[in-house]
Amino acid sequence: MLSRNEIMQTIQMIDQQHLDIRTITMGISLLSCADPDPEACCRKIYDKICRKAERLVPVGETIEAEFGIPIVNKRISVTPIALVAAACETADYVPFAKALDRAAKTCGVNFIGGYSALVQKGMTEADRKLMDAIPEALAETEFVCSSVNVGSTRAGINMDAVRQMGQVVKKTAQRTADRDGFGCAKLVVFCNAVEDNPFMAGAFHGVGEAETVINVGVSGPGVVYHALQSVKGQPFDVVAETVKKTAFRVTRMGQLVAKEASQRLDTQFGIVDLSLAPTPAVGDSVARILEEMGLEVCGTHGTTAALALLNDAVKKGGVMASSSVGGLSGAFIPVSEDEGMIAAARSGALTLDKLEAMTCVCSVGLDMIAVPGDTSAATISAIIADEAAIGMVNNKTTAVRIIPAPGKGVGDTVEMGGLLGSAPVMPVHTGSAEDFIARGGRIPAPLHSLKN
């Protein structure tokens, strides 16, 4: 039984500390939709998504009303489209994105992820076609999100894919220049991508997953921030215990919603992703948690250590609350989506180099970062390569979601709106990486990948 005090604590977390379910994401396998006829394939994709997810939004809204727990997003993830479309006799993969977009609109979800390719060791013709189509696909759709996995600890880094993705990011920004390169906010380049991630823009439904599955992402930076205010000046082991206990309570709420949603939708329960995902709202910031630990500003010396403690404690608290923790599960540091990160970047305290160091110890990587519009494709590829190397060597998921804002320079601001927030344009190093990226080939996997 829940005590009166526990119930009141939860109400306070929801009402005053920005606690919410960030997303209920339904994963749907589209492998059965493969067809040599591209029109038939697109029709099958649309029909299956609409059939499986037609009740996702109403059920989410009902749970939200009954339990009084905010559910911010309802989303869909699908099998990487490069796999589904491989059987089609066509060179144009944009229609597949449009089919996804129509299905998302019909179902009423916020985003649909899975316009994706897995190329960590090599590229098929289908992978190449999909990657070539990404700029146009993201420019001509509203709800579609895209991701490409270019490396893994077991396979190394596909530098041919890294080179191409730098070009894809640039073209996507140019195709959506009228919206400050907004298409890039829906595009993620991964190393060690996971199959059960409920968060966008990187969600896709892995081939090892069930026919359909419900994954839930929780979020509670504001709750952790308020909890740490009660242990000011105390040792770090006390800080860690406080974060663990808080993560436990947050994850239990996510477990409740996930099981309820899976039962009502007659869909297998997958995982709870207990990542601390910030928003631009004041009081819902990962950066402010780090500053509450004693840093004057996020980005100063000590930031990486503080983030390491936070990330580890969140994971430890979460796994005690659920046996089905998965996805990414840790602390996100998306610059444009975190009020404290935005402030630190604008002041110059938080730099791209420091963010890269922080990604060694947190979930995902360089996320929602705006750079000057004239940044070259080779420089973007080099940034992707650096981040993939961190993921490969450390056996963790890393990613890059970067926006070369057309026509903008350092000091300007890119406005994304909503949960995507606004990003100050950050400087990049001016030294050329053209010759480095031009080499292509594959960076071999590290020795510790040989585990069999």
Side-chain angles (χ1 to χ4, degrees):
M1 290 289 291
L2 292 173
S3 69
R4 174 185 173 88
N5 184 52
E6 288 173 322
I7 293 171
M8 294 305 296
Q9 280 183 340
T10 303
I11 292 173
Q12 184 181 36
M13 288 191 296
I14 293 170
D15 187 47
Q16 300 176 21
Q17 300 168 17
H18 301 278
L19 177 61
D20 57 50
I21 299 296
R22 185 54 48 85
T23 179
I24 293 179
T25 300
M26 174 178 279
I28 303 173
S29 172
L30 298 183
L31 293 174
S32 62
C33 300
D35 194 295
D37 182 350
E39 290 187 8
C41 185
C42 288
R43 185 171 61 252
K44 289 179 180 180
I45 288 171
Y46 174 84
D47 290 344
K48 184 168 187 179
I49 293 172
C50 292
R51 185 171 67 252
K52 295 291 186 180
E54 63 179 347
R55 295 174 52 239
L56 176 61
V57 172
V59 166
E61 291 173 344
T62 299
I63 294 173
E64 188 174 11
E66 287 184 13
F67 288 80
I69 299 172
I71 301 174
V72 180
N73 285 295
K74 294 84 179 175
R75 299 163 172 170
I76 296 169
S77 64
V78 299
T79 307
I81 290 298
L83 299 177
V84 182
C88 292
E89 298 171 355
T90 180
D92 183 7
Y93 276 29
V94 175
F96 300 108
K98 292 183 176 179
L100 295 177
D101 205 48
R102 290 196 304 274
K105 194 172 297 184
T106 299
C107 294
V109 295
N110 304 94
F111 287 111
I112 184 165
Y115 195 73
S116 307
L118 309 177
V119 296
Q120 56 268 24
K121 201 170 183 180
M123 291 182 277
T124 65
E125 283 303 308
D127 294 327
R128 294 180 193 278
K129 291 174 184 177
L130 183 133
M131 292 162 69
D132 287 340
I134 287 173
E136 184 178 354
L138 295 183
E140 296 190 9
T141 58
E142 184 177 357
F143 304 103
V144 174
C145 292
S146 179
S147 61
V148 176
N149 190 66
V150 299
S152 73
T153 298
R154 297 302 298 268
I157 303 171
N158 183 345
M159 291 300 291
D160 292 322
V162 168
R163 177 175 56 195
Q164 184 171 350
M165 286 312 298
Q167 298 165 357
V168 167
V169 170
K170 282 287 289 185
K171 291 176 182 176
T172 302
Q174 292 161 1
R175 287 299 305 270
T176 55
D178 59 329
R179 291 171 284 165
D180 281 349
F182 176 74
C184 296
K186 301 188 295 173
L187 173 59
V188 182
V189 186
F190 275 118
C191 177
N192 287 323
V194 298
E195 296 191 338
D196 55 4
N197 168 24
F199 286 100
M200 297 297 170
F204 64 85
H205 186 71
V207 294
E209 296 287 312
E211 182 73 7
T212 58
V213 67
I214 290 293
N215 296 321
V216 167
V218 299
S219 181
V223 179
V224 175
Y225 173 77
H226 281 273
L228 291 185
Q229 289 182 316
S230 66
V231 293
K232 285 183 181 292
Q234 297 195 40
F236 281 116
D237 45 357
V238 176
V239 173
E241 284 300 313
T242 303
V243 174
K244 283 166 56 179
K245 291 175 182 177
T246 305
F248 177 89
R249 294 200 300 269
V250 170
T251 307
R252 290 300 287 177
M253 186 188 73
Q255 174 98 346
L256 170 67
V257 171
K259 285 197 169 183
E260 194 68 29
S262 64
Q263 289 172 3
R264 297 188 187 195
L265 291 166
D266 192 26
T267 300
Q268 181 173 317
F269 164 45
I271 57 92
V272 177
D273 187 316
L274 47 94
S275 297
L276 294 181
T279 72
V282 174
D284 200 25
S285 162
V286 170
R288 299 305 185 195
I289 296 174
L290 306 180
E291 291 169 357
E292 182 61 28
M293 292 186 195
L295 302 173
E296 182 178 356
V297 62
C298 178
T300 193
H301 303 297
T303 299
T304 305
L307 184 59
L309 181 152
L310 175 64
N311 202 61
D312 181 66
V314 165
K315 291 177 186 289
K316 287 175 177 174
V319 296
M320 291 297 293
S322 173
S323 60
S324 299
V325 169
L328 300 169
S329 290
F332 289 177
I333 51 171
V335 174
S336 79
E337 300 174 19
D338 186 308
E339 167 269 326
M341 295 280 179
I342 294 169
R346 281 186 176 145
S347 72
L350 187 62
T351 64
L352 195 58
D353 287 343
K354 186 60 177 178
L355 281 164
E356 183 180 302
M358 293 165 67
T359 63
C360 296
V361 299
C362 78
S363 293
V364 195
L366 297 172
D367 196 14
M368 288 303 290
I369 293 168
V371 296
D374 61 0
T375 302
S376 70
T379 295
I380 293 171
S381 292
I383 292 170
I384 292 169
D386 283 343
E387 198 60 30
I390 290 172
M392 176 185 70
V393 171
N394 291 290
N395 197 24
K396 68 186 294 290
T397 303
T398 54
V400 173
R401 186 162 48 148
I402 191 168
I403 304 156
K408 296 202 170 184
V410 176
D412 293 332
T413 298
V414 176
E415 296 289 346
M416 295 293 167
L419 287 176
L420 296 176
S422 62
V425 177
M426 303 176 72
V428 299
H429 291 290
T430 57
S432 175
E434 293 278 354
D435 291 345
F436 176 77
I437 295 301
R439 287 178 179 270
R442 184 159 59 95
I443 294 179
L447 182 62
H448 63 72
S449 69
L450 301 176
K451 295 181 178 179
N452 287 343

